[in-house]
Amino acid sequence: MSHLLLLTNSTGSSVDVLPALELLNHRVHILPAEPTALLETEPCDVVLLDARRDLVGARALAQLLKATGLSAPLMLVLTEGGMAAVSTAWQADDVVLDSAGPAEVEARLRLAVTRTDAATEDTGEIRAGGVVIDEASYTARVSGEILNLTYKEFELLKYLAQHPGRVFTRSQLLHEVWGYDYYGGTRTVDVHVRRLRAKLGPDHETLIGTVRNVGYRFAPTRMDEDALEGADV
């Protein structure tokens, strides 16, 4: 069972957008089709973007999501007429007709997740923003130089880099990196972020960005911290 995030401005359920989802065994989380949507949910396996009615807005949102480092595959839900408007400029990973049957939708979802997993396994490395993270050897390099990281510093850097552009609260990071059985406070996250920035050095410390009143994110490209929150499509 996959976790699907459906971005739509429809007031109905997921069945109104992609009826086949009702017949599939996936967990579907619905949020408004807005740039801030990814701030409000946990990591997902596939992002479905409802592009049936507002093609211009959907294209702008798809491009923005990709520009901010969306790590999950992005799939557009389109009508037959909307298919003619889609191009590589949308930066979507796949498209599906809203009238597609459950077998087709299931196949497309499975392939999207498989391609993402295969891309990571091919190298065993995470490369983002000039940082190379080797999961096999538990090393991280910047400009060819190995960083002297503790185990938790490495795990925190790896987790953030695996979800570039995604904002995590301190509590989320504490649970994901330290585990649910860790009883320390969220101050631990702040301390480790500060140490990581120091070890990344002045040229790369901005890779770990702070989003005011929310938490932290890995930012391969520098963006104004208010841009994501204030963007309008």
Side-chain angles (χ1 to χ4, degrees), residues 96-177:
V96 63
L97 283 173
D98 59 346
S99 58
E104 179 182 344
V105 173
E106 178 66 23
R108 289 186 180 277
L109 291 172
R110 184 173 61 251
L111 289 171
V113 172
T114 302
R115 283 194 297 266
T116 300
D117 292 342
T120 301
E121 292 172 359
D122 281 346
T123 62
E125 293 183 341
I126 303 169
R127 295 173 179 266
V131 176
V132 179
I133 300 170
D134 188 335
E135 298 182 83
S137 64
Y138 276 85
T139 59
R141 302 189 303 275
V142 173
S143 301
E145 296 292 327
I146 294 180
L147 300 178
N148 183 21
L149 303 180
T150 66
Y151 176 75
K152 286 302 181 185
E153 288 169 354
F154 176 84
E155 288 293 310
L156 177 59
L157 178 62
K158 182 183 74 172
Y159 188 77
L160 289 170
Q162 284 175 325
H163 306 88
R166 178 71 186 276
V167 180
F168 294 96
T169 66
R170 291 167 176 80
S171 293
Q172 285 175 322
L173 290 173
L174 199 64
H175 291 154
E176 293 295 338
V177 178

Side-chain angles (χ1 to χ4, degrees), residues 61-79:
L61 181 55
Q63 293 172 330
L64 180 59
L65 291 174
K66 284 295 186 177
T68 54
L70 177 66
S71 56
L74 176 63
M75 185 179 297
L76 305 176
V77 181
L78 294 157
T79 62

